[in-house]
Amino acid sequence: MGGTWEYGSSGLSIRDAEAARDELRAALAAVDVLLPSLGLDPVSLASSYLPPLVDLGRCNPSVARQLAAALRSATRDR
């Protein structure tokens, strides 16, 4: 979706949500993690009172473990 809908005065837009989704997808790819159903939440996109939300979706246990390992590694590097 490429709309310009704005949520209240907070400036949250569909484009912001798309950019955040793409940034997350790229960061996950950098650590070899693929969330196959990463996308935008259609309910929030249709809502006039909710901000657009990034839906992390579902993944299999192997991908969940990869994501957990990447997060653990990131916290060790601090």
Side-chain angles (χ1 to χ4, degrees):
M1 293 201 99
T4 59
W5 176 87
E6 294 291 320
Y7 171 68
S9 61
S10 67
L12 294 175
S13 70
I14 292 172
R15 287 186 185 162
D16 291 330
E18 289 172 331
R21 176 208 53 210
D22 295 345
E23 185 178 335
L24 178 58
R25 180 177 287 134
L28 291 169
V31 292
D32 295 322
V33 174
L34 172 66
L35 294 178
S37 46
L38 179 63
L40 299 182
D41 173 57
V43 173
S44 68
L45 295 178
S47 174
S48 60
Y49 60 92
L50 290 174
L53 300 174
V54 176
D55 186 347
L56 302 182
R58 298 176 290 271
C59 64
N60 65 39
S62 175
V63 171
R65 288 185 182 100
Q66 284 179 297
L67 180 55
L71 292 170
R72 279 192 301 271
S73 177
T75 59
R76 281 192 298 263
D77 294 340
R78 287 185 182 187

